[in-house]
Amino acid sequence: MILFFKNIIKQILLRQNICFYKNISNKELLEIIKLFKPYHVGHKLIRIGGNSDGGYLMPDILDDVKYCFSAGVGDQSSFEINLLDRNIKSFLADHSVNFDVKNKNLVFDKKFIKSYTSKNSWNVNDWIDEKILDPNEKNFILQMDIEGSEYEVISSITEENLKKMKILIIEFHSLEYLGNPLVYNVIRSSIEKLTQFFDVCHIHPNNWKKKTKVNSYEFPSNLEVTLINKKNVKQKEPIDFLPNSLDRKNVKNKLDIKLDEYWYK
């Protein structure tokens, strides 16, 4: 009978986007929030892409960037099209869509980017190595919005390739499940790996779904994160306020999400 009532209470809380877990403590949740904390890095932020989903904020350090790798195309490519204006060639990959290529500097492969190569997928390192023939080429961009597969890809990217990347833009999915030990360990391992080589310079919650309260902290389901290679950081100072004035809602007809101050202060 006690288990029955516990299950009913749990279902009621889930409908209110509230999750309580015993396995992951508030201290551990705060530790992972701090790993996503953004900083002023000495470069102004610019918006590349449209005024909804598919547009991102990134540091204005694109002068020596020649290439962008975009995993997860979706139904539009305003980000990559804007990069064309800066003479940046984009390699796009997504097996779930058909992309009508109308520009020689937008190269599309109908493949999922994964940790392995198969009929419908491409190992992320092989993708990079095949597209950039010069092994000394560096300072390229990696953008990923691949519906949860980012964790698998991050774990498989070699340190050699990470060191060559100037900017990363990654949408982290399923943060509302961070109270689950398996999810927590996967997500924490991913962001810890990246922050060995990069600093976070911007975060923006996707408003497709309301925030979920996990123990004492509220998490967006999806979080867009911009990271800059540490070699390009001029300073590292806390920011005072989010959202940035250049941020836009991913879904125009839904309420925006405002992150609590513990995400950035």
Side-chain angles (χ1 to χ4, degrees), residues 63-102:
D63 289 346
D64 60 350
V65 174
K66 296 180 182 178
Y67 304 111
C68 172
F69 289 83
S70 287
V73 178
D75 58 1
Q76 57 85 34
S77 55
S78 61
F79 177 75
E80 294 81 12
I81 290 172
N82 275 184
L83 289 178
L84 291 176
D85 296 333
R86 296 171 177 266
N87 297 313
I88 298 174
K89 182 175 185 175
S90 289
F91 302 105
L92 305 94
D94 192 330
H95 186 264
S96 66
V97 301
N98 293 310
F99 185 73
D100 185 13
V101 179
K102 296 180 179 179

Side-chain angles (χ1 to χ4, degrees), residues 6-63:
K6 281 185 176 180
N7 287 332
I8 289 188
I9 293 171
K10 182 178 180 180
Q11 291 303 315
I12 293 172
L13 291 174
L14 285 173
R15 292 192 189 102
Q16 299 299 317
N17 288 331
I18 300 174
C19 298
F20 289 98
Y21 294 89
K22 293 181 179 179
N23 293 319
I24 302 299
S25 67
N26 282 323
K27 178 177 179 292
E28 290 170 307
L29 289 171
L30 186 59
E31 286 173 355
I32 203 167
I33 289 172
K34 295 303 181 185
L35 289 170
F36 285 105
K37 181 179 177 180
Y39 292 90
H40 288 298
V41 293
H43 304 283
K44 74 173 183 177
L45 298 179
I46 55 175
R47 185 175 183 87
I48 301 291
N51 286 322
S52 58
D53 199 34
Y56 303 101
L57 269 61
M58 57 197 303
D60 190 10
I61 53 171
L62 302 179
D63 289 346

Side-chain angles (χ1 to χ4, degrees), residues 231-261:
K231 66 185 178 184
N232 298 111
V233 174
K234 290 183 176 181
Q235 64 184 48
K236 191 173 178 181
E237 297 179 357
I239 66 173
D240 299 320
F241 184 77
L242 283 178
N244 187 287
S245 61
L246 297 176
D247 279 322
R248 300 291 182 269
K249 294 192 295 183
N250 295 72
V251 183
K252 290 185 177 181
N253 63 351
K254 291 194 174 187
L255 292 175
D256 205 0
I257 290 178
K258 187 178 185 300
L259 293 173
D260 294 281
E261 288 188 354

